[in-house]
Every structure is written in C-alpha cells, then in structure tokens.
Amino acid sequence: MLIPQPAEWKFIADLQTPLHQPRIIQSREASSGEIDLRQGVALFFDFPDPDQRLATAYADFERFLACGNIAIGKGYRVCLRQTPGMEPDSYSLEATLEQCTLTATGTEGIRRGLVYLEDEILRAGGAFLSCQATTRRPVIKTRISRCFFGPIKRPPMNRDELADDVNYYPEEYLNRLAHEGVNGLWLSVTFRDLCPSKYFPNHGQDREKRLAKLRQTVVQCARYGIKIYVFCIEPVGFGDVPEYTLPLSELEQVPFFAGHREGAFVYFCTSTPEGQEYLYDCTQYLFSQVPGLGGLIDINLGERPTHCYSNTHNFGRSNCPRCSKRQPWEVFADTTAALARGMQDANPQAEMISWLYVPYLWNDSGSDNERKMDFIRDIAAHVPENVMLQYNFESNGKAMQLGKERVLPDYWLAWPGPSGIFADCADNATGAGTRISAKIQVGCSHEVATVPFVPVPGNLYKKYAAMHRLGVSAAMQCWYFGNYPGLMNKAAGELSFAPLPETEEEFLHKLALTEWGEHAAIVAKAWKLFSESYSHFPYNGAFTWYGPLHNSIVWPLHLVPVDQPIAPSWKFTFPAESGDRVGECLIADHTLEEALALLDKMAEIWENGVSLLRDIEPDYKHNAARKLDIALSKALGLQISSARNVFHFYALREKLPHLPQAQQKATLVGMRRLVEAEIVNSGEIKRLCEQDARLGFHSEAEGYKYFPALLAHRAERLQSLLSDDFPAVELGVNAGKKLFPSYTGQEPEGKVYACGKNPAAGKWESLGRCGEWRVSHFDGNLRFEIRARFSGKDESEHIEIALEPRRLWPSRIFVIKPNGEKSVINRGFIPVAPEWEAEISRDGVDHKPTIVIPLASIPVTPTTDRLRVNLSVVCGKEDDSWVEKHPLEPRLIFGKDNPTDYGWLLLTE
C-alpha cells in the first residue's frame, strides 16, 4: 500500500518567519564593567555603502533591539567606523562604558560585526553588553551552503530551480544564513542548458529564462552578503545516459573531443585547442551574462565521466591518443585553468573551485589505492594559481572502532577527520601557493539525513581546529542535505573565524549561552554527550547510504523471512521500502554483533543527553525555537532506538530456527517486546512530526522518508504482525516443527549441489551454452572446476562465482578472465587481499580454470555447512548461469544482484 507524501513542505513557511522574536530580558542591575542598554541606544550607521548592501543588516539590528524592548534614538552610542587594511569579513568591536565602536574595511565586516554584537547582547542576558575589545578575522574566508529545499537537478525528479518561478531564497531565510556566517550558496547548472557553443549548436537554446532567474537570485542574495556559486560536472562526456552524458551521435561533428573510451562511454578530451576553447567559452559566456556570480564549483574527478582522467581508474591507464601521453596532473591543470580563465576574464573576483570527489578508493589491492593517491597528491601539488582545490575532508580516512581499523568513505559528521589524503592535498596545495577548500557536512551527513541537523557542535570544533592548522581557507559546508539553519550552521560560522576558542568546552559554553542563557552549562553537557553517542555510529559506508538511522522507524518488520533488499536512503527508487536484508547495511565491514554493540552504546548515551534537556524543558515552554531543539534531540533518540530495535529483532530471528524449543519460545517473547517498543516509537515520533515539519525530510530525496501517515501505517502493520504472524510461528514452535526450513537450507528449495570431498566424484552442472562446473571441499576450502567456452571476441568475458555465506548479507563475487586475471567484487570498503588461487588451462576452445577459495577469506565467514552460490560465464552477449538470473534495478554497492538467484551448496563428507 503506497502512502502518499505530505501535500506541502510546511517548513518553508517556517523559514520565512522573522528570525528575531520578542524575548524576556533578565531583571537585574548591570554588573561592574557591563553596559545597561535598557535606557536605549543611539545608532550612528553612516558606513560608506554605495550599493546599499548594509540596508538588510541595519534593518535586522533594529528588529533585534525592538524584540528586546531596547529603544532606538538616544542612549548608549553604537558607531561604525571604516579603516583600511582589514580583510573583507574582518572586524573589531570596542565596547566601553561610553560607546561601542565597530570597525571594518568593507561592508561585510560590518555585517559580521553587527551579528557578533547581537550575540554578545544575548550572552549578557538580552539587554546588557560587556565592556570588551575584540578583533576577529576569517580563516575560512569562503563559506558555501545550499538551499535546504532547492531542486537537485537529478533523477528521478529532475527538478531545475532555474526553470521554475519559485523563490527559493525568502528574505528571512537569507537573514538566518547571514547570521550563521554563510557567504555563499551553490546551485546546480549544466553548460548545455546555459551556454551556447559553436561546437554544439543545440546547446543553450532555452537559456534566457534560466539566465534571468540566475541574475535575479544573484541580486537577491547579494543584499545579505551572500554570493551564488554555480555547481556543475563539466565537461560532460559522451554516452547513452541522457541524465549526465551527451549523445554519442554528437561526436560525429566534433571527433576531436573523443578521448578515453571505456564501455559505453567516451570521455571528453580537453588536451586539444578545441577542448580548451570550449571550456573557456562556456565560463566566459556564463559569467559575462550573470554579473556578480561568486564562482564555479566543478567536480573534476569522480562522480561522472568528464575529461580523460576524471576517473581514478584511468590514472596510468588512459587510452586517449593525447592524454595517455600526459600525466594526470597536466590534464587537470589545463582543464581547470581554461575554466578559470574564461570565468575570471568576465569577473576577476570569481573563484574557481576544482573539486576532487573521491568518496572511496575501492579496490582489492591496497597498493593500487596508494598508486591512485600518489596521482591525487601530484594533482594537488600542481593546481594553477587561479584555481582553488577542494577535497572531501573525511573520505578514505581510517579510524579505530571496537579495536579494528575502519575505512570511512564519503562524508562524515560522526568522525571529525581529517583523512590522511586530505591532509596531504592541503599540504601540497598550500605549499604550491594555492588555496585549499574542505568539502564537509556541517548540519548532518549520510549517517542520518532525515533531520535538519544533528546537535554535535563539538564535532565541528574538532574539524575546524584541524582546518585552521592545515591552512584551509574555504569550505563547501554541505551536499544537498546538511544545510538547515540552526545550531550547526551557527557553530560553523563561529568556528570559521580566529581567534578560535582554546578548548572545545569553552566554545560549547559560549555557543550555548547565546540561546540557552542560564542553562548554558547543562546544554553544553548534553551536546558533549550527543557527540560521545555519535562517535559510536558504525564507521561503515553502507551503514550511511543504506543505514537504518534515516528511517528504520517506518521499516516493516518480518518475522517470516522475505529476503528483500534495503532501500537507498537518498532517493525514492527500488525498492519502495526496506526489507529484512540488514546485512546490506553492514556489508563486509562490521559483524552483526559489532553493530548491535555500537547501537546499544549510541542509544544509551544519547538518552543521557536527552534526559538533561528534559529537565530544563519547562523553562522554555514559551520559547518555540528551543522547544524545537529539544524535540529534535528526542526525535534523534527515537531514530537511534529504532535502529537498535530493528537490528536486535533480526539478530534474534536469525538465531530462532537453530535454537532448542524452550529457547525459541523465550526468544519469541523478546521479539514481541521489540515489536511493541517499535509501535511506541512510531507513535512518539509521529507526535513530534506533527509539531515539526522538518523531521523526516531528506533534501537529496526531495521528499519525506517518514511522516505522520506513514508512521501510523507502520504501527498498524506491526500490530498485524503481533496478531497474525507471531501466533502462526508460535504454533509451529509448539508443534516442534522446523522454522523457515527452506530459508535456512534445512529443506532447501531450488537447485542444490551436494559438495563432497572427492573432486572426481563431483557432479558436473550446466552453465548453459557457455560451460559447466563442479565443486568439492577440503580443509576449509572450496575447489571449483569449470569448463568455459569463450568467444574470444570481447575483452569483458569472464567467469563469476558468487558466494553468499550467510543469509541477508551481500555476496562476495570471485571473477576470473580467460587470460587468468582475477579480481574480487568485495562489497566492502576495507581493501581485502584476494586470498584465493586460480589456475587456468586450455583444451581447444574450452578454458579450464581450477579455483580454490578458502572459506575463511570470505569476510562474513559461514557459520553452517551450507551456503548459497551461483556461477556464471559471461561470453559475448551471453550470460549463462547455474541459476537463471533475474537482475534487480541497480543499486550502489550491490549492482543488479538479486538474492533469489542462488542455489544451495551443501558440504558433505
């Protein structure tokens, strides 16, 4: 049953409400060295501002004073003064008993200073100001965020914010971002939409409406000191994927753009005069047509096929007739320099940010990963002087968890970072005299992206302290998610300036004092507990992309195994809802027992933090913003609790069939309690959702991953599970029947192979027209013998042995080619050496590999004498398998693998 999405995104209206609300002022006398503002202030706002950029800042400051019942006109003097030589965002604030003077060189320094002055008044109780002399300068000079609800210009929605009439930047939304130190916002574009080209006559045909909307957006945001950065992945390569390639047919008119070829893709060669000209022309046109653009963020490595070295796999292996003779860094330097020249010829202040997006280096061999990282280090050392390098702050980092070293792919907030490769890139780039930008996630990351932010500002303190040390001067603060205004954005803005507070504790207390007043110490303690809890999030890429913290609170629970896959967190595609294959959340990188230990610890410590906030909640019954902050902490606690319950449920279910009858009965009682707890969790978070429209929304998915109607539906399904499924299973237990015998392999269905120890006695099984196979076992090893008939016409021909050693887990796939080359599709981010042997002989047209696979080399070692298997021979266009394949819609990590496409391997004597 499909439950329709909410009809509107009500948080958009919330973002348009005034930032400043009437506040209660402390009833006390001014302390020694403190200014009492209750008698009013006189504003002397005459700072040179020919473009009227400060009009919004002045109006905001006056609203702030009015909300504190501080009269404007006479009283304490607040003066602005211009002085030369300070950086654009720098300011000095001197507050004496006579007057407050705010000094800066440019308008943005005044804007930041006024926000700081507001915060100082709040920290002093709402109508007081401490005497002080403070100078702050930006270390992170470029601070780029994104619209929380802006279209992502990607499938399946394919919404484009430049093609509609929606205003994604309401005034008070921009005001909030300005208060949080944001001075840039990024949005997605493509050259083919915006830039006409003599090489591609059909490009840019509908550009005028988009360009007009972009100009409007630039002007609108500039009023708040925020620049617009266009994000793209250019130049686009050629292929058969319309969403992110140009048609191969277009190469017929521009053959000089044909570069590296791989599969169905042809990369766009930039090592030609025509390639350089195309890049220059596009950025020169775009930045001429839209004055005031802040810059261009271009993914030059990773994500999609663009120039010939845009994939780490191509390093040292390019087959482009031109780029193959060049080092990758040379191609990168030429590509980014051409983009920057065009842009800066139109707007010399615009920033070119070259983003090396390498979320993981996923390979069987650690040595190959190191080779790729050497190429990346070289690229960082040769960035052109007019280009800024950007790298993911945490990607490919290594951290210890539960006594094991873990590899952390993609983005992380739970782990502060930085990764070793980021630090190397920062050293190389700054050493060569170019700027380095950190791609981070400020509000939330792939760990849990269905909340506006995760309240762990201490983690940001650790990140930014490292960024200061490494010479980082820019930050792209979010992907599509992780950018909602609030605590974490504010923390990032504060941490972008020097001097940095000396300790995390000092920073947290000062941050809490602004909004929580007398309870700042308690709130700072709660934040510390939240950070400690979050550090136990499993350091596992699959647990972020497919992990339960996003929305397991609406997952169904299956007492009877269904072997259905987990849905990706970041989009609404196959499958429509997550099933019971929780091993897909862990892959080869964590055991189920490890995940349970971590989730238990997370839930326990998080609840300790929530308990502190519950104690002070009554004091904020009239403060809507703080009530939402407390409710958010509760919602996250429920999501963590739900993830823990779901994993405990399936851990018990997997043990259930193998237990004695008495233990089965006790286990079912425990499973019932988990289901009942999940009904309660769904009801509690439903009530929170009804008060806070932000909860459950995932910006990249462009919709809600949980919402009240879906939560109610889930609770109904769980009630049915208790009333229907549990009695049926309990009846089987009482009758002494085997539980789920086809699922466990006790009574296997489908194809079955009896695997004995005598190789010669093994039965040959057909692989269709392409071969046959048999298998035996000895001393904990599987010995496969295969007769494969290859066409010899396709270099992609190969043999696959897919082993699923434990139910619910993805398979490890062993691959061997006719020439004897072997590899492993590992389904994990920790590089695993291929601890297996393969010998191949020829008999006419037949290839006869003998493959020995130690069961201990499979990351999730089998626990019984039976496991599931499938073998395939891919020859030409044929893909013949022992068990016929029914490919699923492809998913990241798992490809098209279908858990139904397996037979049973029973180990016998």
Side-chain angles (χ1 to χ4, degrees), residues 260 262 301 308-309 311-319 324 326-329 332 358 360-380 391 396 398 421 424-425 428 821 831:
H260 176 78
E262 185 169 348
L301 177 61
C308 292
Y309 281 122
N311 188 325
T312 58
H313 179 73
N314 301 355
F315 290 171
R317 297 178 176 138
S318 173
N319 56 36
S324 61
R326 311 183 72 199
Q327 289 297 312
W329 71 260
F332 274 86
V358 187
Y360 52 82
L361 290 168
W362 194 353
N363 197 280
D364 307 321
S365 168
S367 62
D368 192 54
N369 287 347
E370 191 58 40
R371 180 186 70 85
K372 292 174 180 177
M373 284 194 280
D374 283 341
F375 280 115
I376 292 170
R377 295 182 186 104
D378 281 345
I379 293 166
Y391 201 89
N396 301 299
K398 295 180 180 179
I421 184 62
D424 291 347
C425 286
N428 288 1
E821 179 184 338

Side-chain angles (χ1 to χ4, degrees), residues 44-48 54 58 78-84 86 90-94 99-107 109-110 114 135:
F44 295 87
F45 285 0
D46 52 358
F47 194 87
L54 287 175
Y58 294 162
V78 178
C79 306
L80 307 181
R81 183 168 68 90
Q82 187 176 44
T83 189
M86 297 179 75
S90 295
Y91 59 89
S92 293
L93 185 146
E94 183 180 14
Q99 72 175 35
C100 174
T101 304
L102 188 58
T103 303
T105 296
T107 55
I110 295 296
L114 287 172
T135 297

Side-chain angles (χ1 to χ4, degrees), residues 175-233:
N175 192 33
R176 283 174 165 81
L177 295 176
H179 275 71
E180 295 165 352
V182 171
N183 64 1
L185 292 169
W186 67 269
L187 57 83
S188 300
V189 303
T190 63
F191 287 173
R192 71 178 110 176
D193 283 342
L194 297 177
C195 306
S197 171
K198 67 181 183 182
Y199 296 113
F200 302 103
N202 61 326
H203 287 195
Q205 291 183 349
D206 300 318
R207 65 187 180 276
E208 290 305 329
K209 179 178 179 179
R210 287 187 170 93
L211 290 171
K213 177 85 177 285
L214 186 54
R215 292 186 199 103
Q216 174 189 340
T217 301
V218 168
V219 171
Q220 186 177 3
C221 295
R223 296 177 62 245
Y224 290 85
I226 298 172
K227 296 180 179 180
I228 292 296
Y229 289 73
V230 288
F231 163 74
C232 58
I233 308 175

Side-chain angles (χ1 to χ4, degrees), residues 380-433:
H382 293 90
V383 178
E385 62 179 358
N386 58 343
V387 174
M388 189 190 317
L389 182 74
Q390 178 167 285
Y391 201 89
N392 295 358
F393 195 68
E394 307 88 13
S395 292
N396 301 299
K398 295 180 180 179
M400 296 299 294
Q401 190 175 64
L402 297 179
K404 297 180 184 178
E405 185 177 75
R406 314 287 178 171
V407 177
L408 293 94
D410 219 0
Y411 314 130
W412 288 84
L413 182 57
W415 182 64
S419 66
I421 184 62
F422 178 88
D424 291 347
C425 286
D427 287 345
N428 288 1
T430 56

Side-chain angles (χ1 to χ4, degrees), residues 583-627:
E584 294 182 349
C585 303
L586 302 174
I587 52 176
D589 295 354
H590 279 79
T591 66
L592 183 55
E593 292 71 26
E594 288 173 331
L596 292 174
L598 292 166
L599 288 170
D600 285 345
K601 201 70 174 174
M602 270 190 88
E604 175 190 350
I605 300 172
W606 193 278
E607 179 54 32
N608 291 340
V610 173
S611 180
L612 291 176
L613 298 184
R614 281 199 185 96
D615 289 343
I616 63 173
E617 189 172 9
D619 292 346
Y620 297 92
K621 61 184 177 182
H622 300 302
N623 189 324
R626 302 292 74 77
K627 286 166 62 178

Side-chain angles (χ1 to χ4, degrees), residues 787-819:
R787 297 171 182 162
R789 290 177 284 280
F790 294 112
S791 69
K793 299 177 182 179
D794 189 338
E795 63 180 19
S796 67
E797 294 183 331
H798 64 274
I799 297 165
E800 291 184 2
I801 302 174
L803 292 171
E804 185 200 68
R806 187 177 298 184
R807 299 308 304 261
L808 308 183
W809 255 254
S811 296
R812 192 178 189 195
I813 301 175
F814 299 81
V815 180
I816 184 167
K817 292 186 174 182
N819 63 4

